[in-house]
Amino acid sequence: MKHQHKRADPDTDPEGKNGDFSTARVPAAQTVHGLHVALVLIGIAITIPAFLTGAEIGQSMGLDQAAMAIPAGAALLCLIGCMAATIAARTRLTTYMIIQFPFGTRGALVVNAVISITIFGWFTVTASFFGESIQQFMQDTWGTSGNLNALIAFGSALVILTTVFGFKALDKLAVVAVPLLFGALVWLVWLVLQDASLTTLRQFAGSGMSFGQGVTAVVGGFIVGAVIVPDYCRYVRNTAHGLLAAVLHFGIAYPLILFALAVVSIHSGERNFNTIMSGMGLGVIGLLVLIFATWTTNTGNLYSNALVLRTLFSRIPMWLMVVLAGVLGTLLAVAGVTRYFIDFLLFLGICIPPVAGIYIADYFWVNRSRYAVENLAGLPRFGWPAFSAWLLASVMAYGAQSAWFSLTTIPSFDSVLLAFGFYLLFSRVARTR
């Protein structure tokens, strides 16, 4: 543990920048304006699954109901994201270093392994989805489809070559890509409103999804992103910048993305983004949106996965970890195995939201004063209050997902609240003993 302390000190850490401060506090000289972090987060949010979520909500709820459900879900995400961003801004540590404080230095390895498998799995699924989507676009637009494996490899190569340079590369990509992607979405909505009035669009009632289900779709679609916000907000200059990044991302950009796709979907009558773009005669624009959306999103997936893997395999340099994880994910996508473990990833995803409830409770109410890397040496190997709260909240979250019971009708948010409450209770019991 003494060796870890030396590596974690930003003033003496030889792996500092090369490791993108994966096991160290980000020095003040390396911090950036909150707007830069917001752009990186927004770039991760502008993704094809988010497009599908927005389209599904629009088709199933209608515009008026969607206009209420989307902001409600975004507000809950923003609440969690703001607290996580505050912790990140004050500690300047990754999610996976923060997790060590409540879970213990060894216990955190178990939690981080679950998070790593989940993020890595979604990187692989997104890489596969990218290839399939580009192939469909080529077929619909030009009547020919390229080689699927080559398309998957092309998308993954862009992601790996960007992520290997760390947060600064993600920042530069976001500065270029996010305005272009947002501009494309605004243009799509403008084209729709030229063809159909807002009054006409509001007449579409939709069916098949209640208000609570709509809010659940919004929260569940990006709850893992809220949990791992510290990976990015650790680079902000201060707490105010962290809150700015979280609010711009969760409170403004994410709901606008979903609402834009809801509008476009209602107008077209389609849920599939590829079909929508082809039907509007925007094949080339749609192709560019697919490329940039997947590029910005999967760089975030790969970056976060490399950060968590560094806590599990600290001897491997950050850049090499990015390459190894990226290549392995690409090979799995090419092999076509992703379709077999999406259900498994969704199951693991139930276990991740409670982690945010625990580290938020630990930082703000239990152990705030000890959140410094030099204090890791004095932590217990296993934080049993955190583990007990995590396991119990995960089981109950699965029950909420299966409609056995419900607190707020939003299973993922229920799990955060349950973990938060259980951890405060168990910590109090442990201290009393």
Side-chain angles (χ1 to χ4, degrees):
M1 189 58 67
K2 184 178 179 181
H3 175 64
Q4 183 178 4
H5 169 62
K6 286 184 177 181
R7 288 177 43 214
D9 186 347
D11 297 322
T12 60
D13 180 11
E15 63 96 37
K17 293 181 183 179
N18 293 327
D20 218 42
F21 306 104
S22 54
T23 59
R25 174 181 165 89
V26 175
Q30 298 295 323
T31 57
V32 298
H33 195 284
L35 183 59
H36 286 265
V37 176
L39 288 175
V40 173
L41 292 171
I42 293 168
I44 296 171
I46 303 180
T47 177
I48 303 304
F51 293 171
L52 296 175
T53 299
E56 182 65 31
I57 290 174
Q59 286 288 306
S60 301
M61 299 189 72
L63 204 57
D64 286 351
Q65 286 293 309
M68 292 187 291
I70 290 174
L76 294 178
L77 284 174
C78 192
L79 175 63
I80 298 171
C82 282
M83 288 190 285
T86 298
I87 297 172
R90 293 176 180 176
T91 64
R92 295 188 192 152
L93 297 173
T94 67
T95 309
Y96 323 105
M97 293 294 288
I98 289 171
I99 287 172
Q100 293 187 46
F101 290 96
F103 283 91
T105 52
R106 295 299 181 189
L109 298 179
V110 178
V111 183
N112 287 340
V114 172
I115 297 176
S116 176
I117 293 170
T118 305
I119 299 175
F120 175 75
W122 285 118
F123 168 84
T124 303
V125 170
T126 303
S128 179
F129 192 81
F130 170 80
E132 293 168 358
S133 298
I134 297 296
Q135 191 177 55
Q136 181 184 336
F137 246 116
M138 295 173 64
Q139 184 64 48
D140 294 342
T141 307
W142 299 304
T144 181
S145 58
N147 181 274
L148 177 60
N149 292 340
L151 293 172
I152 292 174
F154 167 72
S156 295
L158 287 177
V159 171
I160 294 171
L161 289 174
T162 304
T163 313
V164 77
F165 293 102
F167 177 82
K168 289 186 177 181
L170 273 67
D171 180 20
K172 293 183 184 300
L173 173 62
V175 168
V176 175
V178 170
L180 292 176
L181 288 170
F182 241 100
L185 292 179
V186 171
W187 186 47
L188 282 177
V189 174
W190 183 82
L191 289 176
V192 168
L193 295 178
Q194 297 304 300
D195 190 56
S197 67
L198 190 60
T199 302
T200 302
L201 294 171
R202 290 179 62 188
Q203 292 175 355
F204 179 79
S207 60
M209 186 179 287
S210 66
F211 175 80
Q213 289 172 327
V215 175
T216 297
V218 174
V219 175
F222 214 71
I223 186 66
V224 175
V227 175
I228 63 174
V229 151
D231 292 355
Y232 307 95
C233 284
R234 66 196 175 108
Y235 274 97
V236 298
R237 291 173 182 167
N238 52 44
T239 302
H241 283 254
L243 293 174
L244 173 66
V247 171
L248 287 177
H249 170 45
F250 294 108
I252 299 176
Y254 183 57
L256 285 178
I257 294 166
L258 297 182
F259 191 73
L261 265 295
V263 170
V264 175
S265 175
I266 289 172
H267 174 260
S268 66
E270 297 287 346
R271 287 176 165 84
N272 187 289
F273 181 74
N274 293 345
T275 305
I276 292 172
M277 297 297 285
S278 297
M280 297 177 70
L282 301 173
V284 175
I285 299 298
L287 182 66
L288 292 174
V289 169
L290 272 174
I291 290 174
F292 277 104
T294 306
W295 193 356
T296 55
T297 299
N298 243 10
T299 51
N301 286 334
L302 185 55
Y303 181 68
S304 287
N305 193 47
L307 288 176
V308 65
L309 286 173
R310 284 278 292 143
T311 67
L312 303 175
F313 307 101
S314 58
R315 294 181 181 274
I316 301 178
M318 179 71 173
W319 70 267
L320 182 56
M321 190 70 75
V322 168
V323 173
L324 292 175
V327 170
L328 179 58
T330 304
L331 292 175
L332 291 175
V334 168
V337 302
T338 56
R339 65 179 67 93
Y340 299 109
F341 61 81
I342 289 182
D343 288 341
F344 176 62
L345 294 178
L346 292 173
F347 172 75
L348 287 183
I350 295 174
C351 302
I352 296 179
V355 174
I358 290 168
Y359 75 64
I360 288 172
D362 188 67
Y363 180 82
F364 287 107
W365 281 274
V366 179
N367 290 309
R368 177 176 179 176
S369 61
R370 73 176 184 185
Y371 267 60
V373 175
E374 55 267 25
N375 292 333
L376 286 173
L379 293 179
R381 293 166 64 89
F382 291 92
W384 295 115
F387 260 98
S388 301
W390 181 48
L391 292 175
L392 188 55
S394 296
V395 171
M396 296 184 73
Y398 180 76
Q401 193 82 22
S402 304
W404 297 345
F405 79 99
S406 178
L407 293 178
T408 65
T409 73
I410 307 167
S412 55
F413 191 67
D414 286 351
S415 69
V416 175
L417 293 178
L418 288 167
F420 180 90
F422 286 144
Y423 181 69
L424 289 180
L425 174 63
F426 296 155
S427 294
R428 186 175 182 85
V429 171
R431 289 192 170 194
T432 301
R433 290 183 175 179

